[in-house]
Amino acid sequence: PENEAACFLFEIFKGLNYLHTRSPCIIHRDIKPENILFVNGRAKLADFGWCNLKDGVRTTYCGTPDYLAPEMVRENGHTEKLDIWTMGVLAFELLNGKAPFAPSNTVKDKKRAQEILEENILNNYPHFCQENLSQEARDMVSSMLQKEPTLRPSAGELLNHPWFRLQL
């Protein structure tokens, strides 16, 4: 349900906002369900193994395939906006029950499946499958999944998104 997803995502955005507003900025670079823990009913980011400080544009290729941002696929460098993309993928999954860019299950060849995944990330926009999903949720997720990183909102801006005000 949207209200449960909102609580979960709001907690993670608070953590991301903290990381992204440090000097220098800290980029997590591997946000996914397996790297989120629940402690006393609160969502916490974990596994900072790919984490790095932003000192300009980072160029290390890293992350989990379904969560790769276009700038990671293109290998042309990334900033903290990479974390916003991965949060967009996570939010899409929570609200729609599936990954936004994954190839169909009929692709058996792993190399071809990875190629299709990367093509989808670079060229396609996710289709929301939940008909009853609010327009505010759609708008927020779509803003995070902008192909151009500079068009994505910051974690702080997302904490003030109307969807959270409606759900929390």
Side-chain angles (χ1 to χ4, degrees):
E2 284 191 50
N3 63 334
E4 290 180 34
C7 290
F8 173 77
L9 293 167
F10 193 79
E11 293 284 331
I12 301 304
F13 277 123
K14 286 194 300 187
L16 265 186
N17 188 52
Y18 176 82
L19 294 174
H20 291 177
T21 57
R22 299 302 93 203
S23 183
C25 173
I26 301 168
I27 311 170
H28 188 279
R29 303 196 309 176
D30 198 22
I31 298 170
K32 58 184 177 181
E34 297 88 340
N35 290 342
I36 297 171
L37 304 175
F38 286 95
V39 179
N40 297 324
R42 313 263 330 238
K44 306 280 185 178
L45 275 173
D47 190 353
F48 287 79
W50 283 116
C51 183
N52 214 310
L53 300 175
K54 177 186 168 193
D55 51 356
V57 175
R58 305 297 307 173
T59 58
T60 308
Y61 186 90
C62 59
T64 300
D66 280 335
Y67 293 82
L68 293 176
E71 58 269 29
M72 189 65 76
V73 173
R74 285 190 217 103
E75 297 186 56
N76 59 355
H78 56 274
T79 67
E80 72 278 5
K81 296 294 182 135
L82 177 86
D83 287 341
I84 303 302
W85 174 275
T86 57
M87 284 295 293
V89 173
L90 179 64
F92 186 93
E93 286 182 332
L94 285 173
L95 295 167
N96 289 278
K98 65 176 192 154
F101 303 103
S104 70
N105 292 337
T106 60
V107 180
K108 302 294 183 203
D109 179 75
K110 287 186 179 189
K111 183 178 180 190
R112 181 63 189 136
Q114 180 68 26
E115 290 170 353
I116 293 169
L117 173 65
E118 290 179 359
E119 288 169 14
N120 289 345
I121 290 168
L122 292 174
N123 302 313
N124 295 338
Y125 291 90
H127 300 287
F128 295 95
C129 55
Q130 296 294 336
E131 292 178 14
N132 61 344
L133 191 62
S134 71
Q135 188 59 48
E136 292 83 7
R138 293 169 192 264
D139 290 346
M140 188 180 83
V141 173
S142 295
S143 74
M144 291 187 283
L145 295 177
Q146 290 288 323
K147 305 294 184 191
E148 172 54 47
T150 60
L151 298 178
R152 295 177 207 143
S154 69
E157 291 169 329
L158 287 161
L159 285 169
N160 293 307
H161 193 278
W163 183 65
F164 286 124
R165 287 196 302 274
L166 289 171
Q167 297 298 323
L168 301 177

